[in-house]
Amino acid sequence: MNSSETLPIGDPLAGQKILLCIGGSIAAYKSPELVRLLLAAGAKLKIVLSPGASHFVTPLTLQALLGEPPRQEFFTPSEEAAMDHIRLARWADALLFAPISANGLARLALGLADDLRGAIALASRAPRFLVPAMNSAMWEHPATQRHVHTLQADGGIFLGPEQGSLACGEEGPGRMLSPEAIVDILRRHLGPKPWQGRKILITAGPTWESWDPVRGLSNRASGRQGFALAQAAAELGATVQLISGPVALPTPVGISRQDVLSAQEMLAAVQKALAAESTDLFIANAAVADHRPALPVAQKQPKGTLPLHLELSPNPDIVATIARSPHRPRKILAFAAETHGDEAHAKAKLEAKGADFAFLNLLDPGVLGGSENAGILWAGQQRWEFSRRSKLALARGILQHLQTFLS
């Protein structure tokens, strides 16, 4: 079957009803970006703004982003006449306290309900996500830690805080997570989990084949597509191990990552991971160098002594080796990259290696290593074509099409 990509590919947060409670911390200045990201993900959003928070972010700013004013007062006759705090508590799929100060943690831990946020927290059965932001001494104070333990025992899910530079100029724990990290964690918690219990192994990035300590062979792969596949698999509930060549990318939330350098190191890491536990899907996305210098040297060579001709040795083919391995995973998805779009050649090459599924990256030489991608996925006799889109959207689409083959 030949077809364009037809399944609806959505963000895991699409349609999720999130009540954002913004507390009185200077980190509240990050809340407009958090609002923007949640709305871009398709979440349905309502906002409660504490009196303290309004000193750091204005209601008008939030209203401009959301399209409706945030709730601020508990005793507003026009709203509480209809028991609005109960309505909001019942409406929400999740309560997100971001940021929440030391005072906010204390009030929630004690169950105080004399303000809007406290009343909603007591009246709601939705999961509570708490994003602390405060000075390090306040975070580490025994009273704050007692409140943290109480809230965790009550089911509260803490997101952070991070270690780093604080608004007061000090260094230490207490910094609010970035809006991007918050949204990624929410995706993992709130989205559907059809791949719960599945083990996924992914390779990503280029490999580096050293000739001397500073020179070698590599390619322009950025690793973004492999990292996006790891994030998408984790969003679906899978346990994901990522083996990456040299890249400058943050590890997606909840992913176990191992860094390697060369093709031989990558193959050894993959074999070790597959021998350790059964794997449902191996995604070979890394752009592995085809060759390595045959005679590498241990010391940096002077420019004038560099050879005009470099003898090369072939690198192992990771997909073909793993397909013949006694620890072969249940399924293998292999990638090929072409600038000329030779579908038949790419599909035949990947199938000959033993891959169950094949994906052809349709590369535009002008955007190699960029944030978007396009390509064609084959699974048996089925074919899906993906127009150019973000690499994360492409990753979600690929995995959604493969779900039926992994059941």
Side-chain angles (χ1 to χ4, degrees), residues 262-303:
S262 68
Q264 291 175 307
E265 290 177 10
M266 183 170 284
L267 174 59
V270 169
Q271 290 173 320
K272 183 177 180 180
L274 292 174
E277 61 179 357
S278 60
T279 300
D280 295 290
L281 176 64
F282 171 45
I283 301 178
N285 178 255
V288 180
D290 295 315
H291 296 83
R292 65 184 185 276
L295 300 171
V297 293
Q299 303 296 325
K300 181 181 182 295
Q301 301 300 296
K303 180 178 179 181

Side-chain angles (χ1 to χ4, degrees), residues 211-215 297-307:
W211 178 67
D212 73 8
V214 298
R215 302 180 181 95
V297 293
Q299 303 296 325
K300 181 181 182 295
Q301 301 300 296
K303 180 178 179 181
T305 65
L306 298 180

Side-chain angles (χ1 to χ4, degrees), residues 115 126 141 201 217 241 250 286 323 325 388 391:
D115 69 352
H141 194 282
L201 178 65
L217 303 177
Q241 182 171 354
S325 166
R388 187 161 298 282
K391 289 183 174 178

Side-chain angles (χ1 to χ4, degrees), residues 25-175:
S25 163
I26 192 172
Y29 80 88
K30 299 180 182 180
S31 57
E33 177 64 8
L34 179 57
V35 169
R36 187 191 67 81
L37 291 174
L38 289 170
L39 292 175
K44 298 179 180 179
L45 196 62
K46 293 185 183 295
I47 299 175
V48 173
L49 188 65
S50 77
S54 62
H55 292 292
F56 302 107
V57 59
T58 68
L60 186 59
T61 298
L62 299 171
Q63 181 175 342
L65 291 169
L66 188 60
E68 64 180 64
R71 284 290 313 274
Q72 293 181 265
E73 300 295 336
F74 192 9
F75 298 108
T76 302
S78 62
E79 293 166 336
E80 280 307 320
M83 302 294 285
D84 199 48
H85 67 284
I86 301 297
R87 181 184 63 82
L88 288 171
R90 298 293 183 268
W91 172 85
D93 295 320
L95 305 182
L96 175 60
F97 294 84
I100 186 166
S101 64
N103 180 64
L105 291 175
R107 296 179 65 82
L108 285 186
L110 295 173
L112 300 182
D114 58 347
D115 69 352
L116 186 56
R117 291 181 305 159
I120 290 172
L122 286 186
S124 175
R125 296 182 179 88
R128 290 189 286 179
F129 297 90
L130 309 166
V131 187
M134 65 196 72
N135 174 268
S136 298
M138 297 175 74
W139 171 252
E140 293 172 340
H141 194 282
T144 301
Q145 290 304 304
R146 283 196 299 272
H147 296 144
V148 169
H149 295 150
T150 296
L151 290 166
Q152 288 175 328
D154 290 344
I157 302 166
F158 276 80
L159 282 55
E162 287 184 324
Q163 183 99 9
S165 298
L166 305 175
C168 60
E170 296 181 2
E171 293 273 341
R175 187 170 66 181

Side-chain angles (χ1 to χ4, degrees), residues 5-16 37-43 183 187-188 190-194 228 231-233 235-236 386 389-401 403:
E5 182 265 306
T6 55
L7 288 177
I9 309 302
D11 192 291
L13 291 179
Q16 295 285 339
L37 291 174
L38 289 170
L39 292 175
V183 172
R187 285 189 176 109
R188 293 197 64 220
L190 298 179
K193 300 293 184 292
Q231 178 178 332
E235 289 174 357
L236 293 171
F386 295 83
R389 66 194 65 194
S390 75
K391 289 183 174 178
L392 182 55
L394 179 65
R396 289 173 179 148
I398 291 170
L399 298 188
Q400 186 164 353
H401 281 294
Q403 282 193 46

Side-chain angles (χ1 to χ4, degrees), residues 10 14 20 85 106 118 151 185 192 218 283 288 291 298 313 360 384-385:
L20 173 60
H85 67 284
L151 290 166
I185 294 172
S218 190
I283 301 178
V288 180
H291 296 83
S313 296
L360 170 61
W384 298 278
E385 188 170 339

